Amino acid sequence: MVLGPLTRIPGTCIALLAVFSLERAFELALSRARLRTTRGSAASSDLEWTLLVLVHAGLLALPPIEAALLGSHAPPALVASALVAAGLAQVLRYWSVASLGPAWNARAVVDPAHGVVERGPYRWVRHPNYLAVLVEFSAVPLAFGAWRSWIVLNLLHLPLIVRRIRAEERLLQGVPGYGERMAGKGRFLPRLSHRLGV
């Protein structure tokens, strides 16, 4: 029976999943509302979008399943570090969403009418929201000590997110001034990252 092993999962990890689930639902609703007034091209095909949604659902499902069925667990220090990383990722995520304002949507539809956004973390990097997502895909499985889930989820997620970022950057190059104003910024890390080609 799964319920017995579930009781061994730290309550903080269960709370993390609950918060992430509510956030994902909120983001999808916000995205739908913003897409009603957004005109542009999407960085992901319908198939790629569906795969991304499934992998994000897996992020919320696989780690607790692994922990419950296989008895995976993390040392308290790793749980604490993963929870801090997940919390910081959420701060960065919502700072990014707020900074993009009406230009943000989960489908990565780029509307040239929104112009170039250089507020918030976009002053220093081109894709802070994707950095937050990458951190989440490590923090959540590691909080559960679910290293198998960490490997599987990242093997599935990384090719999708790399493809999406490249497609989104091609679309963003069509926004007047984007290429010139963002050329000196790294994708995920400020300033130095540009010199390193990140």
Side-chain angles (χ1 to χ4, degrees):
M1 183 171 187
V2 173
L3 200 53
L6 273 177
T7 60
R8 292 195 300 255
I9 298 173
T12 50
C13 293
I14 301 298
L16 175 70
L17 289 183
V19 168
F20 272 43
S21 298
L22 290 172
E23 284 179 348
R24 294 304 197 262
F26 166 75
E27 289 167 13
L28 289 174
L30 177 63
S31 179
R32 270 189 227 104
R34 290 192 173 164
L35 284 172
R36 288 189 200 110
T37 58
T38 299
R39 302 289 175 261
S41 300
S44 302
S45 69
D46 288 344
L47 174 61
E48 290 167 334
W49 169 248
T50 301
L51 292 173
L52 274 170
V53 169
L54 290 173
V55 172
H56 276 257
L59 177 66
L60 302 176
L62 288 181
I65 289 171
E66 179 180 335
L69 296 181
L70 301 179
S72 301
H73 66 279
L78 179 57
V79 173
S81 299
L83 292 173
V84 167
L88 292 173
Q90 296 321 290
V91 170
L92 181 58
R93 173 194 286 282
Y94 285 101
W95 188 21
S96 301
V97 170
S99 298
L100 285 174
W104 180 86
N105 61 81
R107 291 295 305 262
V109 173
V110 175
D111 185 345
H114 291 302
V116 180
V117 174
E118 291 186 280
R119 295 182 295 275
Y122 294 91
R123 286 178 285 187
W124 303 289
V125 292
R126 297 193 314 265
H127 299 293
N129 194 33
Y130 291 129
L131 174 60
V133 172
L134 292 171
V135 171
E136 289 171 357
F137 267 79
S138 284
V140 172
L142 293 179
F144 285 87
W147 61 268
R148 297 168 193 87
S149 296
W150 179 83
I151 291 170
V152 169
L153 288 165
N154 281 288
L155 284 175
L156 294 172
H157 183 248
L158 285 174
L160 292 170
I161 201 75
V162 166
R163 185 176 169 88
R164 179 176 166 130
I165 290 169
R166 288 180 177 160
E168 187 175 349
E169 286 195 333
R170 282 193 297 273
L171 294 173
L172 287 167
Q173 290 300 326
V175 176
Y178 180 86
E180 300 79 26
R181 290 161 68 181
M182 292 298 195
K185 300 174 185 178
R187 278 194 181 123
F188 307 120
L189 302 174
R191 296 186 186 97
L192 179 61
S193 63
H194 178 69
R195 294 189 196 109
L196 297 175
V198 174

